[in-house]
Amino acid sequence: MEAAGRSGGIGRRAGLKIRFPPGSVGSIPTFGMSMVAFVRRSIRAVRTLARDGRIPRPLRALVAIGLLPVPGPFDEAVLLVAAALLFVFYRGPLREAWRASV
C-alpha cells in the first residue's frame, strides 16, 4: 500500500486530475448542451437562415448546398464558408435564427 502524497492523493498523478462538476460537458462550443443537441439546433438555425429574405440569394444557395447530404467533405466545407460569411456580415439574422431554433 502506498503512502498518501503531498497533494493528499495516492500516486504521483493524483493531484494532476482536473475535476469537472457532474453533468458538465467540458467543451466550449456547446455551453452545457450535448453535442447532438448542439448539432440539431445548428441545423434548425441554418434552415431558418436559408429562407431569410435579408440574406442575399447566393449566400442562401451556399447554405442550401451545405445542407445537402453529399458524401465527403464538400458540403461541410461549403457550410463552413457560408457560416463564416454569415458570422461576419449577417450577425443579427444569425443570432435571431439561433434564438428561434430552441
Side-chain angles (χ1 to χ4, degrees), residues 71-91:
F74 176 73
D75 56 339
E76 287 89 357
V78 169
L79 201 54
L80 282 175
V81 169
L85 291 171
L86 287 168
F87 182 75
V88 171
F89 297 111
Y90 299 97
R91 203 172 285 191

Side-chain angles (χ1 to χ4, degrees), residues 13-65:
R13 297 180 192 259
L16 298 177
K17 293 184 180 175
I18 299 171
R19 290 170 177 64
F20 287 100
S24 68
V25 179
S27 178
I28 295 211
T30 60
F31 296 105
M33 69 173 63
S34 71
M35 189 56 78
V36 173
F38 178 76
V39 169
R40 286 181 182 161
R41 186 173 180 184
S42 298
I43 290 172
R44 284 193 302 264
V46 167
R47 284 183 182 158
T48 302
L49 285 172
R51 291 182 236 122
D52 194 339
R54 296 175 289 177
I55 297 172
R57 204 171 279 188
L59 186 53
R60 287 188 289 164
L62 271 180
V63 170
I65 291 170

